Short mmCIF file of all heavy atoms in Angstrom, two decimals:
data_model
loop_
_atom_site.label_atom_id
_atom_site.label_comp_id
_atom_site.label_asym_id
_atom_site.label_seq_id
_atom_site.Cartn_x
_atom_site.Cartn_y
_atom_site.Cartn_z
N GLY A 9 -0.47 0.93 -7.49
CA GLY A 9 0.42 0.36 -8.62
C GLY A 9 0.80 -1.13 -8.34
O GLY A 9 1.38 -1.73 -9.24
N ASN A 10 0.49 -1.71 -7.24
CA ASN A 10 0.65 -3.12 -6.92
C ASN A 10 -0.64 -3.87 -7.19
O ASN A 10 -1.16 -4.60 -6.44
CB ASN A 10 1.10 -3.25 -5.46
CG ASN A 10 2.55 -2.80 -5.20
OD1 ASN A 10 3.42 -2.95 -6.10
ND2 ASN A 10 2.65 -2.08 -4.13
N ASN A 11 -1.01 -3.86 -8.44
CA ASN A 11 -2.22 -4.47 -8.79
C ASN A 11 -2.25 -6.06 -8.78
O ASN A 11 -3.20 -6.58 -8.32
CB ASN A 11 -2.68 -4.06 -10.31
CG ASN A 11 -2.93 -2.60 -10.40
OD1 ASN A 11 -3.29 -1.87 -9.39
ND2 ASN A 11 -2.59 -2.00 -11.60
N GLU A 12 -1.07 -6.54 -9.05
CA GLU A 12 -1.11 -8.10 -8.94
C GLU A 12 -1.27 -8.45 -7.52
O GLU A 12 -1.92 -9.41 -7.20
CB GLU A 12 0.29 -8.59 -9.33
CG GLU A 12 0.46 -8.61 -10.93
CD GLU A 12 1.87 -9.28 -11.28
OE1 GLU A 12 2.83 -8.58 -10.95
OE2 GLU A 12 1.75 -10.20 -12.05
N LEU A 13 -0.60 -7.72 -6.48
CA LEU A 13 -0.65 -8.18 -5.11
C LEU A 13 -2.18 -7.82 -4.57
O LEU A 13 -2.75 -8.66 -3.92
CB LEU A 13 0.27 -7.32 -4.28
CG LEU A 13 0.31 -7.64 -2.79
CD1 LEU A 13 0.74 -9.12 -2.56
CD2 LEU A 13 1.26 -6.73 -2.09
N MET A 14 -2.78 -6.74 -5.11
CA MET A 14 -4.11 -6.54 -4.70
C MET A 14 -5.08 -7.68 -5.14
O MET A 14 -5.91 -8.14 -4.38
CB MET A 14 -4.60 -5.14 -5.25
CG MET A 14 -4.27 -3.96 -4.50
SD MET A 14 -4.86 -3.91 -2.83
CE MET A 14 -6.50 -3.82 -3.03
N SER A 15 -4.88 -8.13 -6.28
CA SER A 15 -5.71 -9.23 -6.91
C SER A 15 -5.44 -10.37 -6.08
O SER A 15 -6.47 -11.16 -5.69
CB SER A 15 -5.46 -9.45 -8.38
OG SER A 15 -6.16 -10.38 -8.87
N PHE A 16 -4.23 -10.73 -5.78
CA PHE A 16 -3.83 -11.93 -5.01
C PHE A 16 -4.56 -11.94 -3.60
O PHE A 16 -5.12 -12.91 -3.13
CB PHE A 16 -2.34 -12.03 -4.79
CG PHE A 16 -1.98 -13.19 -3.92
CD1 PHE A 16 -1.98 -14.48 -4.30
CD2 PHE A 16 -1.54 -12.83 -2.57
CE1 PHE A 16 -1.58 -15.47 -3.52
CE2 PHE A 16 -1.14 -13.85 -1.74
CZ PHE A 16 -1.19 -15.13 -2.22
N LEU A 17 -4.45 -10.66 -2.90
CA LEU A 17 -4.96 -10.55 -1.62
C LEU A 17 -6.57 -10.68 -1.62
O LEU A 17 -7.14 -11.34 -0.71
CB LEU A 17 -4.61 -9.20 -0.95
CG LEU A 17 -3.14 -9.15 -0.58
CD1 LEU A 17 -2.83 -7.61 -0.13
CD2 LEU A 17 -2.74 -10.04 0.54
N GLU A 18 -7.20 -10.15 -2.62
CA GLU A 18 -8.62 -10.30 -2.74
C GLU A 18 -8.98 -11.72 -2.88
O GLU A 18 -9.93 -12.27 -2.39
CB GLU A 18 -9.28 -9.44 -3.90
CG GLU A 18 -9.12 -8.02 -3.61
CD GLU A 18 -9.46 -7.14 -4.74
OE1 GLU A 18 -9.41 -7.52 -5.87
OE2 GLU A 18 -9.71 -5.84 -4.42
N LYS A 19 -8.19 -12.52 -3.71
CA LYS A 19 -8.49 -14.02 -3.83
C LYS A 19 -8.29 -14.74 -2.45
O LYS A 19 -8.85 -15.82 -2.36
CB LYS A 19 -7.54 -14.58 -5.01
CG LYS A 19 -7.96 -14.17 -6.37
CD LYS A 19 -6.95 -14.67 -7.31
CE LYS A 19 -7.28 -14.02 -8.68
NZ LYS A 19 -6.30 -14.35 -9.69
N CYS A 20 -7.42 -14.16 -1.63
CA CYS A 20 -7.13 -14.74 -0.28
C CYS A 20 -8.22 -14.41 0.69
O CYS A 20 -8.24 -14.79 1.81
CB CYS A 20 -5.80 -14.40 0.26
SG CYS A 20 -4.43 -15.13 -0.66
N GLY A 21 -9.31 -13.55 0.22
CA GLY A 21 -10.24 -13.10 1.20
C GLY A 21 -10.19 -11.78 1.72
O GLY A 21 -11.03 -11.32 2.44
N PHE A 22 -9.18 -11.11 1.39
CA PHE A 22 -9.04 -9.58 1.84
C PHE A 22 -10.11 -8.73 0.96
O PHE A 22 -10.42 -9.15 -0.19
CB PHE A 22 -7.69 -9.03 1.59
CG PHE A 22 -6.70 -9.57 2.76
CD1 PHE A 22 -6.03 -10.66 2.58
CD2 PHE A 22 -6.57 -8.76 3.89
CE1 PHE A 22 -5.16 -11.07 3.52
CE2 PHE A 22 -5.73 -9.13 4.86
CZ PHE A 22 -5.02 -10.39 4.76
N ALA A 23 -10.58 -7.68 1.47
CA ALA A 23 -11.44 -6.84 0.81
C ALA A 23 -10.82 -5.39 0.77
O ALA A 23 -10.39 -4.87 1.84
CB ALA A 23 -12.77 -6.69 1.45
N LYS A 24 -10.80 -4.73 -0.37
CA LYS A 24 -10.28 -3.33 -0.48
C LYS A 24 -11.43 -2.39 0.18
O LYS A 24 -12.56 -2.53 -0.29
CB LYS A 24 -10.10 -2.94 -1.85
CG LYS A 24 -9.47 -1.56 -2.08
CD LYS A 24 -9.12 -1.16 -3.45
CE LYS A 24 -8.52 0.09 -3.59
NZ LYS A 24 -8.18 0.45 -4.94
N THR A 25 -10.98 -1.66 1.25
CA THR A 25 -11.98 -0.82 1.86
C THR A 25 -11.74 0.60 1.63
O THR A 25 -12.65 1.48 1.68
CB THR A 25 -11.89 -1.12 3.41
OG1 THR A 25 -10.62 -0.76 3.81
CG2 THR A 25 -12.25 -2.49 3.74
N SER A 26 -10.58 1.10 1.28
CA SER A 26 -10.37 2.43 0.94
C SER A 26 -9.01 2.61 0.20
O SER A 26 -8.26 1.71 0.07
CB SER A 26 -10.20 3.24 2.37
OG SER A 26 -9.14 2.90 3.01
N GLU A 27 -8.81 3.84 -0.19
CA GLU A 27 -7.62 4.25 -0.92
C GLU A 27 -7.06 5.32 -0.08
O GLU A 27 -7.42 6.54 -0.20
CB GLU A 27 -7.89 4.61 -2.36
CG GLU A 27 -6.54 4.79 -3.14
CD GLU A 27 -6.63 4.20 -4.48
OE1 GLU A 27 -7.60 3.38 -4.76
OE2 GLU A 27 -5.92 4.52 -5.29
N PRO A 28 -6.03 5.11 0.72
CA PRO A 28 -5.51 6.08 1.67
C PRO A 28 -4.82 7.24 0.83
O PRO A 28 -4.22 6.95 -0.19
CB PRO A 28 -4.49 5.37 2.56
CG PRO A 28 -4.21 4.17 1.94
CD PRO A 28 -5.32 3.81 0.90
N PRO A 29 -4.89 8.44 1.28
CA PRO A 29 -4.19 9.56 0.64
C PRO A 29 -2.68 9.46 0.86
O PRO A 29 -2.18 8.88 1.69
CB PRO A 29 -4.75 10.85 1.32
CG PRO A 29 -5.03 10.35 2.69
CD PRO A 29 -5.51 8.93 2.58
N ILE A 30 -1.88 10.10 -0.06
CA ILE A 30 -0.56 10.28 0.09
C ILE A 30 -0.25 11.53 0.74
O ILE A 30 -0.71 12.58 0.40
CB ILE A 30 0.19 10.29 -1.23
CG1 ILE A 30 -0.06 8.86 -1.95
CG2 ILE A 30 1.66 10.60 -1.10
CD1 ILE A 30 0.51 8.78 -3.33
N ILE A 31 0.61 11.52 1.80
CA ILE A 31 0.93 12.83 2.49
C ILE A 31 2.39 13.12 2.29
O ILE A 31 3.22 12.23 2.51
CB ILE A 31 0.65 12.56 4.04
CG1 ILE A 31 -0.81 12.31 4.31
CG2 ILE A 31 1.08 13.84 4.82
CD1 ILE A 31 -1.15 11.85 5.72
N ILE A 32 2.69 14.25 1.95
CA ILE A 32 4.05 14.68 1.60
C ILE A 32 4.28 16.13 2.14
O ILE A 32 3.38 16.90 2.12
CB ILE A 32 4.49 14.45 0.12
CG1 ILE A 32 5.91 14.65 -0.07
CG2 ILE A 32 3.60 15.52 -0.79
CD1 ILE A 32 6.41 14.19 -1.46
N LYS A 33 5.39 16.38 2.65
CA LYS A 33 5.71 17.75 3.16
C LYS A 33 7.09 18.28 2.59
O LYS A 33 8.03 17.46 2.41
CB LYS A 33 5.76 17.69 4.65
CG LYS A 33 6.02 19.02 5.31
CD LYS A 33 6.10 18.92 6.80
CE LYS A 33 6.34 20.23 7.51
NZ LYS A 33 6.31 20.17 8.91
N ASN A 34 7.15 19.53 2.32
CA ASN A 34 8.35 20.22 1.84
C ASN A 34 8.93 19.67 0.54
O ASN A 34 10.16 19.44 0.33
CB ASN A 34 9.41 20.14 2.99
CG ASN A 34 9.02 20.92 4.20
OD1 ASN A 34 8.31 21.80 4.22
ND2 ASN A 34 9.43 20.40 5.27
N SER A 35 8.05 19.29 -0.38
CA SER A 35 8.55 18.77 -1.66
C SER A 35 7.43 19.06 -2.78
O SER A 35 6.28 19.02 -2.51
CB SER A 35 8.74 17.32 -1.68
OG SER A 35 9.16 16.80 -2.88
N MET A 36 8.00 19.46 -3.97
CA MET A 36 7.04 19.56 -5.01
C MET A 36 6.78 18.37 -5.82
O MET A 36 5.84 18.25 -6.57
CB MET A 36 7.72 20.55 -5.96
CG MET A 36 7.93 22.04 -5.36
SD MET A 36 6.26 22.74 -4.88
CE MET A 36 5.56 23.05 -6.43
N ASN A 37 7.66 17.27 -5.63
CA ASN A 37 7.55 16.07 -6.32
C ASN A 37 7.52 14.99 -5.37
O ASN A 37 8.13 14.99 -4.33
CB ASN A 37 8.61 15.91 -7.44
CG ASN A 37 8.66 17.00 -8.31
OD1 ASN A 37 7.66 17.33 -9.02
ND2 ASN A 37 9.72 17.60 -8.53
N MET A 38 6.96 13.74 -5.77
CA MET A 38 7.12 12.61 -5.02
C MET A 38 8.45 12.08 -5.03
O MET A 38 9.18 12.18 -6.02
CB MET A 38 6.27 11.48 -5.62
CG MET A 38 4.69 11.66 -5.42
SD MET A 38 4.32 11.64 -3.60
CE MET A 38 4.62 9.90 -3.25
N PRO A 39 9.04 11.51 -3.92
CA PRO A 39 10.43 10.93 -3.87
C PRO A 39 10.50 9.78 -4.80
O PRO A 39 9.48 9.06 -5.05
CB PRO A 39 10.69 10.60 -2.36
CG PRO A 39 9.27 10.69 -1.80
CD PRO A 39 8.34 11.44 -2.64
N PHE A 40 11.71 9.38 -5.20
CA PHE A 40 11.93 8.30 -6.02
C PHE A 40 11.46 7.00 -5.37
O PHE A 40 11.70 6.79 -4.21
CB PHE A 40 13.44 8.19 -6.34
CG PHE A 40 13.78 6.84 -7.14
CD1 PHE A 40 13.48 6.74 -8.37
CD2 PHE A 40 14.42 5.85 -6.45
CE1 PHE A 40 13.79 5.46 -8.99
CE2 PHE A 40 14.75 4.69 -7.09
CZ PHE A 40 14.40 4.47 -8.44
N ARG A 41 10.82 6.08 -6.13
CA ARG A 41 10.33 4.82 -5.57
C ARG A 41 10.90 3.76 -6.42
O ARG A 41 10.95 3.81 -7.64
CB ARG A 41 8.79 4.80 -5.65
CG ARG A 41 8.06 5.74 -4.91
CD ARG A 41 8.09 5.60 -3.38
NE ARG A 41 7.52 4.28 -2.88
CZ ARG A 41 6.24 4.19 -2.55
NH1 ARG A 41 5.51 5.18 -2.49
NH2 ARG A 41 5.86 2.90 -2.07
N ASN A 42 11.52 2.86 -5.80
CA ASN A 42 12.19 1.64 -6.49
C ASN A 42 11.26 0.50 -6.66
O ASN A 42 11.67 -0.60 -7.17
CB ASN A 42 13.45 1.19 -5.85
CG ASN A 42 13.13 0.58 -4.53
OD1 ASN A 42 12.01 0.41 -4.00
ND2 ASN A 42 14.30 0.25 -3.74
N HIS A 43 9.97 0.57 -6.28
CA HIS A 43 8.92 -0.44 -6.61
C HIS A 43 9.25 -1.71 -5.92
O HIS A 43 8.84 -2.67 -6.33
CB HIS A 43 8.69 -0.62 -8.06
CG HIS A 43 8.34 0.64 -8.84
ND1 HIS A 43 7.17 1.35 -8.62
CD2 HIS A 43 9.04 1.44 -9.68
CE1 HIS A 43 7.18 2.34 -9.42
NE2 HIS A 43 8.36 2.45 -9.96
N GLU A 44 9.84 -1.63 -4.76
CA GLU A 44 10.15 -2.82 -3.94
C GLU A 44 9.29 -2.83 -2.60
O GLU A 44 9.37 -3.86 -1.96
CB GLU A 44 11.65 -2.92 -3.65
CG GLU A 44 12.44 -3.27 -4.92
CD GLU A 44 13.97 -3.46 -4.65
OE1 GLU A 44 14.43 -3.30 -3.50
OE2 GLU A 44 14.63 -3.89 -5.60
N LEU A 45 8.54 -1.80 -2.39
CA LEU A 45 7.69 -1.92 -1.21
C LEU A 45 6.33 -2.30 -1.72
O LEU A 45 5.67 -1.58 -2.53
CB LEU A 45 7.59 -0.36 -0.67
CG LEU A 45 6.54 -0.37 0.49
CD1 LEU A 45 6.95 -1.24 1.67
CD2 LEU A 45 6.25 1.08 1.04
N PHE A 46 5.98 -3.51 -1.24
CA PHE A 46 4.62 -4.04 -1.91
C PHE A 46 3.46 -3.90 -0.77
O PHE A 46 2.34 -3.86 -1.26
CB PHE A 46 4.83 -5.56 -2.01
CG PHE A 46 5.48 -5.91 -3.34
CD1 PHE A 46 6.89 -5.84 -3.46
CD2 PHE A 46 4.71 -6.03 -4.53
CE1 PHE A 46 7.55 -6.05 -4.66
CE2 PHE A 46 5.35 -6.28 -5.68
CZ PHE A 46 6.80 -6.29 -5.84
N ALA A 47 3.73 -3.84 0.57
CA ALA A 47 2.56 -3.68 1.48
C ALA A 47 3.19 -3.32 2.71
O ALA A 47 4.40 -3.49 3.14
CB ALA A 47 1.88 -4.99 1.62
N ILE A 48 2.39 -2.71 3.61
CA ILE A 48 2.66 -2.32 4.89
C ILE A 48 1.50 -2.89 5.83
O ILE A 48 0.30 -2.67 5.47
CB ILE A 48 2.65 -0.83 5.20
CG1 ILE A 48 3.69 -0.18 4.20
CG2 ILE A 48 2.99 -0.44 6.64
CD1 ILE A 48 3.62 1.28 4.01
N ALA A 49 1.91 -3.80 6.79
CA ALA A 49 0.93 -4.24 7.65
C ALA A 49 1.08 -3.39 8.98
O ALA A 49 1.85 -3.71 9.88
CB ALA A 49 1.23 -5.74 8.05
N PRO A 50 0.27 -2.37 9.03
CA PRO A 50 0.40 -1.39 10.16
C PRO A 50 0.13 -2.05 11.46
O PRO A 50 0.64 -1.59 12.46
CB PRO A 50 -0.44 -0.24 9.87
CG PRO A 50 -1.44 -0.78 8.89
CD PRO A 50 -0.78 -1.90 8.17
N LYS A 51 -0.84 -2.89 11.51
CA LYS A 51 -1.30 -3.48 12.81
C LYS A 51 -2.16 -4.61 12.72
O LYS A 51 -2.87 -4.81 11.68
CB LYS A 51 -1.82 -2.43 13.80
CG LYS A 51 -3.16 -1.91 13.20
CD LYS A 51 -3.70 -0.83 14.21
CE LYS A 51 -4.93 -0.18 13.62
NZ LYS A 51 -5.40 0.80 14.50
N PHE A 52 -2.05 -5.57 13.59
CA PHE A 52 -3.10 -6.66 13.71
C PHE A 52 -4.28 -6.09 14.48
O PHE A 52 -4.00 -5.43 15.49
CB PHE A 52 -2.38 -7.84 14.41
CG PHE A 52 -1.48 -8.58 13.59
CD1 PHE A 52 -0.16 -8.58 13.86
CD2 PHE A 52 -1.87 -9.24 12.39
CE1 PHE A 52 0.79 -9.26 13.23
CE2 PHE A 52 -0.95 -9.89 11.63
CZ PHE A 52 0.45 -9.95 12.12
N LEU A 53 -5.28 -6.27 13.99
CA LEU A 53 -6.55 -5.78 14.69
C LEU A 53 -7.15 -6.80 15.68
O LEU A 53 -7.19 -8.04 15.24
CB LEU A 53 -7.68 -5.32 13.73
CG LEU A 53 -6.99 -4.29 12.73
CD1 LEU A 53 -8.22 -4.07 11.63
CD2 LEU A 53 -6.80 -2.92 13.38
N ASP A 54 -7.54 -6.46 16.81
CA ASP A 54 -8.11 -7.47 17.74
C ASP A 54 -9.31 -8.00 17.22
O ASP A 54 -10.07 -7.39 16.42
CB ASP A 54 -8.45 -6.76 19.03
CG ASP A 54 -7.22 -6.23 19.83
OD1 ASP A 54 -6.24 -6.78 19.61
OD2 ASP A 54 -7.40 -5.24 20.55
N LYS A 55 -9.59 -9.25 17.59
CA LYS A 55 -10.83 -9.90 17.32
C LYS A 55 -12.02 -9.08 17.79
O LYS A 55 -11.96 -8.58 18.98
CB LYS A 55 -10.91 -11.31 17.83
CG LYS A 55 -10.18 -12.28 17.06
CD LYS A 55 -10.29 -13.73 17.66
CE LYS A 55 -9.58 -14.73 16.83
NZ LYS A 55 -9.85 -16.14 17.42
#
């Protein structure tokens, strides 16, 4: 849903490599999202 950010990152040289699955437990519905989480930088990868 963050298409503008994806487009911007691709223009900066990033490449989309996968679409990670959503994992949820003990719920029939997705929790409410306020659309303020744009990205997660889980780790810097070594050279």
Side-chain angles (χ1 to χ4, degrees):
N10 288 318
N11 299 330
E12 282 183 301
L13 183 59
M14 280 298 299
S15 178
F16 173 78
L17 291 172
E18 288 172 345
K19 289 176 185 171
C20 289
F22 284 88
K24 183 175 181 179
T25 59
S26 67
E27 189 139 343
I30 295 174
I31 300 172
I32 190 165
K33 182 178 178 182
N34 299 328
S35 179
M36 295 299 290
N37 300 309
M38 289 293 295
F40 171 75
R41 300 289 297 268
N42 65 5
H43 304 291
E44 292 183 353
L45 175 63
F46 281 85
I48 303 167
K51 62 183 172 178
F52 288 112
L53 304 172
D54 294 330
K55 284 185 176 181

